Amino acid sequence: MEKPKTLFERLARERGITVEEMRTIISARIEQGMNDPDPVKRASWERIPRAGEIPAPEEWLRYAVEQLEEEGRGDLLRWYPNF
């Protein structure tokens, strides 16, 4: 079996779904966050740089990784094997 090349491939494989289904799940969660009734939570989602109205899963992931690294918590990223 070929090793997954992206985090989304790995997550999809672990759940027994397609990468597109995984991206759809992540997109739905992002949209839910962007529409959260709590203005503080919504503002945290609004900070994600994006090309469109709603961040793409890749944009969200890039932002999350950058935030962890900025906060000096990049060690959390090492919990997962590199692909």
Side-chain angles (χ1 to χ4, degrees):
M1 183 181 285
E2 185 178 328
K3 286 180 81 171
K5 295 178 183 155
T6 68
L7 177 61
F8 299 132
E9 287 178 7
R10 178 180 177 189
L11 294 173
R13 182 177 292 169
E14 288 174 357
R15 289 160 178 76
I17 60 177
T18 67
V19 173
E20 193 53 42
E21 288 171 315
M22 190 73 247
R23 290 182 90 259
T24 298
I25 291 167
I26 294 168
S27 293
R29 178 61 188 105
I30 293 168
E31 190 165 342
Q32 182 182 12
M34 296 286 292
N35 294 308
D36 195 294
D38 181 335
V40 174
K41 290 180 183 177
R42 195 171 52 248
S44 69
W45 285 94
E46 287 289 339
R47 286 192 290 272
I48 300 172
R50 58 195 178 273
E53 189 174 323
I54 304 287
E58 292 80 8
E59 292 170 321
W60 162 78
L61 181 59
R62 184 178 313 109
Y63 178 76
V65 168
E66 288 171 357
Q67 290 302 121
L68 286 170
E69 289 175 343
E70 279 182 25
E71 294 169 7
R73 300 181 67 198
D75 59 312
L76 294 174
L77 300 171
R78 294 183 219 345
W79 287 1
Y80 299 98
N82 294 326
F83 297 112

